[in-house]
Each structure stands twice: as C-alpha cells, then as structure tokens.
Amino acid sequence: MIRTTTRQSGLVALGATIAIAMTTMASAASASPKKPTVDGDALSRALSFETALTDVAESVSPSVVSIQVEVTQPQNQSTPFFFGGQGRGGIVRGGGSGVILRSDGYILTNNHVVHNASRIEVRLRNGKSFPAKLVGADSATDLAMLKIEARALPQAEFGSSEKARVGQFVIAIGSPFGLDYTVTTGVLSAKGRGGIGANEIEDYLQTDASINPGNSGGPLVNLHGRVLGINTMIIGRGSGIGFAIPAEIAQRVARQLIENGSVKRAWLGVSFQEITPELAAHFGGSFQGGALINVVVPQGPADKAGLLAGDVITAVNGKQIQEGRDLLRTVLRHDVGERIKLDVRRGNATKKITLVTGERPNEDGAQSRKPDVDDNSMLGLSLENLTPRLRERFRYEGDGRVFVHGVAPGSDADRAGLRPGDIILQADRRPVRSIADVRTALDDGSALLYLERESRRFFQPITRSK
C-alpha cells in the first residue's frame, strides 16, 4: 500500500512538473518577438532621398512629351532582304520621347525617332495631342527639332554635364515601349564615351538608369531636375548600359536647328588616330597622349596652317589632348571661323600653330527633311549608310557601307533593276565608303555599280534617261 501510494505520488509530481514546463514553453512561444531598433536618422535620410526623387519626377515630367510617328514606305520598298524584311510597303508606326525646349512649342528629340516620318504627333503630359513638323535634323549627333503650335508650355531646364560627376544619381524619363512617362533611376556611370560607331560625333554620358526603345529623345536629369543629356541609345536590351547626348552639345545643336534648320560645326580638315606608346616611338618624343594626324585634307584649314600627316596635336588653346576623342570634343566646342592655337609635336620638336577653323562638311542639309529619292542627281535612288548599329541589328557581316533604302517607281534606278536592300560595294570601280561616293560617281549621269544582293555580287550599270 505504501509502495503503491508512493509511486502514485511520484507520478503526480512528475506530471505536474511536465505541465509546468509545457506551460512555460507555450508562454514563451506565444510571446511577441522583440522588434529591432530603427535608426531614425537613417530612415529620415532615406525618406528625404525618396522625396527628392519623386519631386524631380513630378516637376520634370510636364516638360517631357511622347512622340508617335508614321513612315510611309513606297509599294516597291520594304525592309532590305538581308534585314529579314517582310511585306511590300505601307505605313510603319513607331515612337519615342522628346523634351520641350521652349515654351512656344520647340521640342528636341532624336533624329532616328522622326527620320523619314510622313506624320509626327506629339502628346503632352496633360493628354493633349498636336501635329508636329520637322524644323531640322542633325544625323551626326542624332538630334532633331520639332515644332508644335502651342504656347505657355512647361519647358525643361538644362544643367551642365561637364560639371556633373561620375557616380551621382540621375533619372531618366520617357516612353519605353509606348508606356508614357516612365521614370527610372540610376547613376552617371561615365562621361566622354565614344568609339561605339553609332554616329559620326560621339561624346556620350553613360548611365545604368534603365533605358529602352521609346526612351529615345527623353531627358536624363539630375536631382535638381535639370537636364544633363538626351537619351539616345542602349547597348543590348537589359544590359544596363545606356547613353545620352550631353546637355552642352544638345543645346548647341538645338540653337542652330531653330535658327537655320541645319548645323554648322568647326572643322580642322584632318583625320586622326589614337597614338600608342609603340607609335610614339616612331614619331619622336615619349608617350604623353595626343591625337596623331593620319590625313590632312587638301586646301582644308589644317593644310593651310601647315599641319602634316604624322604631326601629333597635344593641346588646343592650352587644353591638353589625351586622345583623339578629346580633340574632336574640343574642336566642336568652337565656332566656324574661330582662331585657335594648337600645340603640335613634330618629331622631337614642339610647334605652336594658329589655325582658323573651317566648316565641317555636312551631308544632312535638306536631306534631313527630304529623302535622296527626290534628288534627280541620284536617279531615283534613296540611300542610307549601313551603320554599325544596323549591322548588329540585322546581322550583316559583309564589308558594304551603303545600301539602297528605296527606289522611286519608274525612275532610272528602277529601270536598271536596282532593289531596296541592294548593297553598293563599288561605284565606277572605286570602293563606296559613303553616300557621297555614289553621288560623285553619278555626277556625269551614269555609273557602273558593283552590288551585293542576297549573298550574290554582280555589276550593274545605271544611266540617266534622256
């Protein structure tokens, strides 16, 4: 009896102990976890930065526009064969973005957004739409100026890209894929980018702010809401690398497009290449940077000033030149007819040469508004340069540089059997490197063209009809 009673008491005691332990564990499990301490100062700074971004987006967006274009292709003109084109003409629609430059209706965008457009429409942030006309375009920088009949528009404020610092926050605003007033953020990744091969004049701001098709022509702004550049292109979709035309270049081009419909640029009359330590050893002196002149244009400004192939330009008006792109950027910031002083290394000697800038040859002119197909001297041919960007886009790996964009029905080119998509390799047995080479060959009314069509090459004469 006592043993039994003692065992029962032990079981009761053990059960009580387990119950207490389970109650304690349940209480601990049901208790709320301790919240981490929030750094009030850090949160305040983050909220201030967030407010700055939203304020910029709200203040700048009214000066950004969405652009819709229509390009009418002739019935015998389609996307070139080697471009994988389909269809035979009709209306092709596209779009991009733009920045209101002046309150009286002048809008800056990219040339490639409105190139060859038969109809352009601009839509404002408030939803109003206006037909737009092309005032002028500059293919060298890929900029174009539009005009709509409107007043008291909210114009953008421009800042200085030259004073901007790599690493600072930037905001891109535009209409990627037709999604109006999309805002993306990032940093200014680099300045002075060139050598990409997309345009004749390259001096880009690089950013990781997301830029996609449709952002073209929209602004890249700083946290003060001032435009640092005009977004113009990307390297591959989703790569995180976008480029913008610096504000200083954009404003200079815009001013001339409004005043003259075209752009005049300072020109030295030379071509150049980068000078490497190996080249420096052959041209005298130690490697200190500079631009090596490899061609001097006869009767051009440099020729008249006495510059020679093999000279190395090391400074312009005292500003050091480290590479060829520095020379191009520096010269383009001067006016036509301006007197500039060059520091030139020739062999082991250094010379100071004064030069009066000339006007850079320009193939745009009225061509920005009127395709080559309307030019009688081209015998019905509408030509386009096969840029690196087009090569990459359409996977063309040949050595051609100019292709037939269109052929006027019933023209001499049409009678000769030329087709859109033909690549012109030679004209009168001379290599074709630009549209100007074809134009020169056709000056006398006839030319022997060497063409590439669907991987087949052949000669084709073309003659002006009497």
Side-chain angles (χ1 to χ4, degrees):
M1 295 288 297
I2 295 175
R3 182 179 297 174
T4 302
T5 305
T6 302
R7 186 177 176 215
Q8 289 175 342
S9 300
L11 289 172
V12 171
L14 178 60
T17 302
I18 293 174
I20 293 171
M22 292 182 66
T23 302
T24 302
M25 292 174 63
S27 299
S30 62
S32 300
K34 187 177 180 180
K35 293 182 179 180
T37 302
V38 177
D39 186 333
D41 290 340
L43 179 59
S44 178
R45 289 193 295 271
L47 290 174
S48 295
F49 178 61
E50 179 185 80
T51 300
L53 293 179
T54 55
D55 286 348
V56 170
E58 290 175 0
S59 64
V60 176
S61 288
S63 64
V64 182
V65 303
S66 176
I67 299 173
Q68 289 78 44
V69 302
E70 291 182 359
V71 177
T72 303
Q73 293 183 339
Q75 289 304 307
N76 74 324
Q77 177 178 313
S78 64
T79 305
F81 301 109
F82 63 93
F83 287 0
Q86 297 179 353
R88 283 293 181 182
I91 295 177
V92 178
R93 295 179 175 85
S97 307
V99 177
I100 298 175
L101 191 72
R102 286 186 4 186
S103 62
D104 56 351
Y106 284 97
I107 295 169
L108 186 62
T109 186
N110 283 147
N111 178 48
H112 75 258
V113 171
V114 297
H115 183 62
N116 283 341
S118 56
R119 181 176 178 274
I120 306 172
E121 183 178 271
V122 168
R123 185 166 64 243
L124 305 182
R125 183 74 173 89
N126 60 15
K128 293 182 179 180
S129 295
F130 297 85
K133 67 176 182 179
L134 179 63
V135 175
D138 178 45
S139 63
T141 56
D142 192 24
L143 289 169
M145 182 63 63
L146 304 179
K147 179 69 168 67
I148 63 174
E149 295 304 319
R151 299 288 177 181
L153 297 176
Q155 67 185 45
E157 292 186 40
F158 278 72
S160 172
S161 61
E162 294 182 352
K163 295 179 180 178
R165 301 173 63 189
V166 172
Q168 73 176 63
F169 278 95
V170 290
I171 301 172
I173 304 176
S175 305
F177 304 107
L179 303 172
D180 291 357
Y181 302 99
T182 296
V183 176
T184 56
T185 63
V187 298
L188 183 60
S189 305
K191 297 167 60 175
R193 288 295 196 212
I196 299 170
N199 292 301
E200 181 183 351
I201 296 175
E202 297 183 335
D203 181 11
Y204 298 121
L205 305 178
Q206 180 182 324
T207 180
D208 66 346
S210 182
I211 295 175
N212 288 289
N215 274 110
S216 295
L220 186 72
V221 302
N222 60 19
L223 291 184
H224 295 287
R226 293 185 175 88
V227 178
L228 297 181
I230 302 298
N231 299 320
T232 188
M233 67 176 180
I234 55 177
I235 293 184
R237 295 189 183 186
S239 66
I241 300 178
F243 298 94
I245 303 162
E248 285 81 358
I249 293 179
Q251 287 180 292
R252 192 181 189 94
V253 169
R255 184 169 56 252
Q256 293 196 55
L257 290 178
I258 292 174
E259 294 174 355
N260 308 311
S262 61
V263 178
K264 293 182 179 180
R265 292 186 175 88
W267 181 59
L268 298 185
V270 301
S271 62
F272 54 83
Q273 65 187 87
E274 307 299 342
I275 183 167
T276 63
E278 293 77 15
L279 282 172
H282 291 279
F283 288 96
S286 59
F287 177 69
Q288 299 173 344
L292 172 63
I293 297 176
N294 52 21
V295 174
V296 177
V297 177
Q299 299 303 308
D303 186 28
K304 294 176 181 177
L307 271 76
L308 304 173
D311 287 347
V312 179
I313 300 177
T314 59
V316 177
N317 284 350
K319 182 178 178 61
Q320 293 300 308
I321 302 299
Q322 297 298 325
E323 56 183 4
R325 287 193 296 272
D326 289 339
L327 177 62
L328 179 61
R329 286 192 292 265
T330 303
V331 171
L332 290 177
R333 282 166 171 74
H334 292 276
D335 294 325
V336 175
E338 187 174 342
R339 188 179 298 272
I340 60 176
K341 297 180 179 179
L342 307 178
D343 289 359
V344 178
R345 193 168 68 242
R346 180 176 295 170
N348 294 318
T350 299
K351 303 171 65 69
K352 291 190 178 293
I353 295 178
T354 299
L355 176 150
V356 178
T357 61
E359 182 179 342
R360 186 183 184 89
N362 186 355
E363 291 186 6
D364 279 337
Q367 184 177 328
S368 62
R369 298 165 223 175
K370 201 181 280 189
D372 281 334
V373 73
D374 294 333
D375 188 345
N376 290 331
S377 66
M378 299 298 286
L379 309 188
L381 284 174
S382 175
L383 305 180
E384 189 168 339
N385 289 315
L386 189 54
T387 64
R389 181 160 51 184
L390 286 175
R391 289 174 179 274
E392 180 182 0
R393 177 182 173 189
F394 300 112
R395 297 185 178 90
Y396 174 69
E397 298 179 353
D399 53 3
R401 299 189 183 184
V402 173
F403 72 92
V404 178
H405 180 71
V407 178
S411 65
D412 297 320
D414 190 16
R415 282 190 288 273
L418 274 77
R419 304 179 190 172
D422 286 348
I423 304 170
I424 304 179
L425 303 174
Q426 296 179 12
D428 285 339
R429 309 300 297 273
R430 293 184 177 88
V432 169
R433 297 184 174 87
S434 68
I435 294 174
D437 292 335
V438 180
R439 190 186 298 276
T440 299
L442 292 173
D443 275 347
D444 60 359
S446 67
L448 178 64
L449 303 180
Y450 185 44
L451 306 173
E452 180 177 348
R453 179 186 296 167
E454 298 180 281
S455 301
R456 183 172 65 92
R457 296 187 174 191
F458 59 95
F459 289 97
Q460 178 63 52
I462 179 173
T463 305
R464 179 183 292 117
S465 56
K466 296 180 180 179

